[in-house]
Amino acid sequence: MLKFDVHLIYEKKIDAAAERERIKKDLDRYEKEIANGQRQLQNEQFLAKAPKPVVDGIRNRAVELEVLISKTKNAMADLDSSKERT
């Protein structure tokens, strides 16, 4: 039996400026959403009136948004570093 490895190199051409703009918009949207959630969580009146599942949902979404922000910043850094290599 003959065994061999096949390596496929696929270079996807992207519009770096358009991708950077899309990533920036995503990052702005995530940061606005997390700021709104934090504002709600710091509002004592909101916390007193809001049902526990709503408050828990905002807290869980904040954690998700932190992960998304981190990934988005990494994507921007990767895009910037690939620009420097070309």
Side-chain angles (χ1 to χ4, degrees):
M1 178 185 260
L2 181 62
K3 291 185 178 185
F4 59 94
D5 291 330
V6 176
H7 297 273
L8 179 64
I9 299 173
Y10 175 73
E11 189 173 318
K12 182 179 176 184
K13 301 288 182 186
I14 61 167
D15 181 352
E19 184 67 8
R20 186 173 290 105
E21 186 62 29
R22 184 193 66 77
I23 290 172
K24 176 141 180 40
K25 283 180 183 178
D26 287 346
L27 187 58
D28 289 344
R29 188 179 72 229
Y30 299 149
E31 288 174 342
K32 284 179 187 176
E33 187 177 345
I34 203 166
N36 286 337
Q38 293 301 325
R39 183 178 37 78
Q40 287 179 312
L41 292 173
Q42 293 171 356
N43 183 334
E44 293 299 325
Q45 290 178 343
F46 173 79
L47 293 176
K49 294 179 182 179
K52 184 176 179 352
V54 171
V55 174
D56 290 343
I58 293 171
R59 287 187 176 124
N60 291 338
R61 182 63 178 157
V63 172
E64 292 172 3
L65 288 167
E66 289 293 342
V67 171
L68 287 171
I69 288 170
S70 175
K71 287 181 178 182
T72 305
K73 286 180 178 179
N74 288 340
M76 182 70 85
D78 289 346
L79 186 63
D80 290 342
S81 68
S82 68
K83 179 182 174 186
E84 292 171 1
R85 285 184 264 148
T86 57

